[in-house]
Each structure stands twice: as C-alpha cells, then as structure tokens.
Amino acid sequence: MKRVLSELLNLPDVVVESSLQEGKTLILSVTKKTKSAVCPQCGKKSHHLHQNQNYLIKDLPMGDKEVILNINRRRFKCKTCRKTFNEELDFVGVRKKYTHRYAENIIKQLINIDVSNVAKNNGLSEEEVYSMLEDIIKNILPINVSSLRRLGIDEISLVKGQGKFIVVLVDIDSGKLIGLAKERKQIIIENLMTTWGEKVLEQIEEVSMDLTGNYKNLVEKICPNAVITVDRFHVTKLIHEELNQARIAEKKVALELNIESREKVFDSLKGNKYTILKAEDKLTDKQKIKLDIIR
Ligand SMILES: [Zn+2]
C-alpha cells in the first residue's frame, strides 16, 4: 500500500509512510528516501539527523480527495561546520504551504477563468492565488525546455475589465508551464524566450497564440521554423461563450412554452453534444475557419 501510494504521489525520492482519510481529505505522511542531506555551507554530505520537523502542505488532489502532505523536513547536523541545517526539498518552497506543482496547477486554471473564480473553485483566497503567481514568476519551477516543439503563448486577464494581464508560455505537448511574464511587453517575452537558447528556438515547430496575434512578429523573428496557429485556449473560450449564449436563448424560449414541452427542451439542453453542435452552428464563418485550423 505504501509503495502504491508513493508511486501515485509521484514526487521524486519521496515515500509515503502512512495515510489517513478525513472525509474529503487524504493526509499522507511523507519523507525523503535519502538518509543524508548536503550542507548548504560547505557542500558536504551529512548523515547526522538532528531533528524531525513535520508540517502540512497542500498537494494536487487524487480522485475526489483533497491531498494534504504531512512532510518531514529534517534538520541535519554538519560535522565540519558544526552547525545544523534544514534539508532541501525540491517539491516545495521554504515556508510555503503548498507544493510547486499545486501552485502550477492553480495558475494554469487562470488561463480559462479569472483570479476570483480560481480562488473560489479551489477554496483559496485571492491573495493566496496572487502569491502563488508571484512564486512562479520568481522561477521556483524547474523549467526544462530541451524537448519543446510546440509552444503556446497566452495572455491572461487577471481581473476582468481592469486591463491587468500576465503572459503565460506553455509547452503544449507536456502541458507544462514554461514561462510567465508580469507584463505583456514584447521585449519581456523576447528576453524570456532567448534564455532558452538558439537550439530550442530553432526546434520549435508550432507556436499557437490568441486571436489578436500580438506576438506574431516576435515569433517570426526568433523562431525561424515555427508555424503560427490560433491558440486553442482562446478558441475553447470562444466556444464556451457561444455555448452559454445558445443556452440562455433556448432557456428563454422554453420559459414561454407550456410545462410539458418545456421539460423536453430542458432535457435536450442537458445533452452536451447536442448543445455543442448547436453552438457551433451559431459561430460565424470566420470563427469556424479558426476552429478548423486547430482540429
Ligand atoms: Zn557544513
């Protein structure tokens, strides 16, 4: 069971020692497999455990359970320096209450909805979402772009109608966040992308971006082999908007019908495929072309 849970948890060198279920919450007590830690002062390995220190952090959910990790960030004593130090844990920042991947997942949700709704959906405060964003911008995530082939550039509106945007760069194939910029200035994105190196920029085959095509010139300049396509997130958003419009319109009609036929209409509205097809019919030709591009 321990082994299965450790595999499911999938954090490098981390083992689940025990688990506890409390309603919708799964608490996993975890520790690092390694019996030693490297002293940050002198770089020497220490095997001398000084103290166990447990605390709770949030991690990605499993099934319908919220997951809390009871982690042991051990304190070691360095025999050379004669000082104690905390072991480094690569999956959580110092004094943070959530794993890196938890924060990454929250920030990815911002692609489709705004800060207040992401906060609400995840039982977080808006401040917490902002602070996760800050963490990620500060580059706490180990970013590996060596196999990047398809890049997504997306502008995210943080607060509706306030013109507050961030720019997100995603590896489309792995779904990983590979870059974040606080402002939507071309030069900032260019500087960020050039840190990946020429080899990576040359191997990029496709860059998808939003309907405005704001970064088209930049991509043409620095990614010589990339084809530019319309960003799927934006197209998805577009479809959702159309879908909601279609639902509202049909609900309105249904309210004017008698009860029996009203129920029929509501039933048909529940069938997802039907509604999606309907919504798609309502797309303009221009939107349909864009939709075809991404299929
Ligand atoms: Zn030392």
Side-chain angles (χ1 to χ4, degrees), residues 89-147:
L89 298 171
D90 44 15
F91 56 92
V92 55
V94 178
R95 283 188 290 275
K96 293 295 171 192
K97 294 198 168 93
Y98 42 81
T99 56
H100 292 327
R101 64 183 185 185
Y102 179 84
E104 188 186 346
N105 182 269
I106 294 291
I107 299 314
K108 271 207 295 213
Q109 294 176 33
L110 285 175
I111 291 172
N112 295 310
I113 36 177
D114 63 1
V115 169
S116 65
N117 280 304
V118 170
K120 208 161 58 185
N121 292 349
N122 293 280
L124 301 166
S125 68
E126 287 185 27
E127 288 70 32
E128 283 173 308
V129 176
Y130 276 118
S131 99
M132 286 179 193
L133 193 60
E134 289 286 331
D135 286 349
I136 290 181
I137 288 173
K138 274 187 226 140
N139 246 343
I140 55 163
L141 293 174
I143 288 167
N144 183 0
V145 287
S146 64
S147 57

Side-chain angles (χ1 to χ4, degrees), residues 17-18 27-32 49 51-57 69-75 86-87 89:
E17 301 285 1
S18 64
I27 303 168
L28 303 175
S29 295
V30 301
T31 186
K32 271 252 175 184
L49 179 66
Q51 198 179 20
N52 286 313
Q53 314 175 105
N54 282 70
Y55 65 110
L56 302 176
I57 58 168
L69 302 181
N70 176 11
I71 64 168
N72 180 7
R73 194 195 289 269
R74 298 165 296 181
R75 205 164 171 81
N86 287 334
E87 71 178 320
L89 298 171

Side-chain angles (χ1 to χ4, degrees), residues 39-44 78-83 85:
C39 169
Q41 290 277 327
C42 65
K44 279 192 184 137
C78 175
K79 285 191 172 159
T80 314
C81 306
R82 299 186 166 274
K83 276 183 185 157
F85 65 93

Side-chain angles (χ1 to χ4, degrees), residues 213-271:
N214 273 347
Y215 304 96
K216 197 168 166 277
N217 292 342
L218 170 67
V219 170
E220 282 169 353
K221 190 172 110 188
I222 64 172
C223 307
N225 302 312
V227 175
I228 295 170
T229 56
V230 173
D231 188 41
R232 63 209 65 223
F233 299 123
H234 281 267
V235 178
T236 326
K237 228 191 266 181
L238 211 113
I239 295 168
H240 281 308
E241 276 162 24
E242 292 284 342
L243 194 66
N244 282 335
Q245 284 307 316
R247 276 211 194 103
I248 292 163
E250 293 197 31
K251 218 169 166 184
K252 231 172 159 185
V253 175
L255 287 174
E256 289 160 9
L257 302 169
N258 63 47
I259 294 173
E260 205 182 310
S261 46
R262 200 191 293 174
E263 272 168 4
K264 268 189 207 157
V265 177
F266 279 128
D267 275 348
S268 73
L269 280 177
K270 279 183 216 147

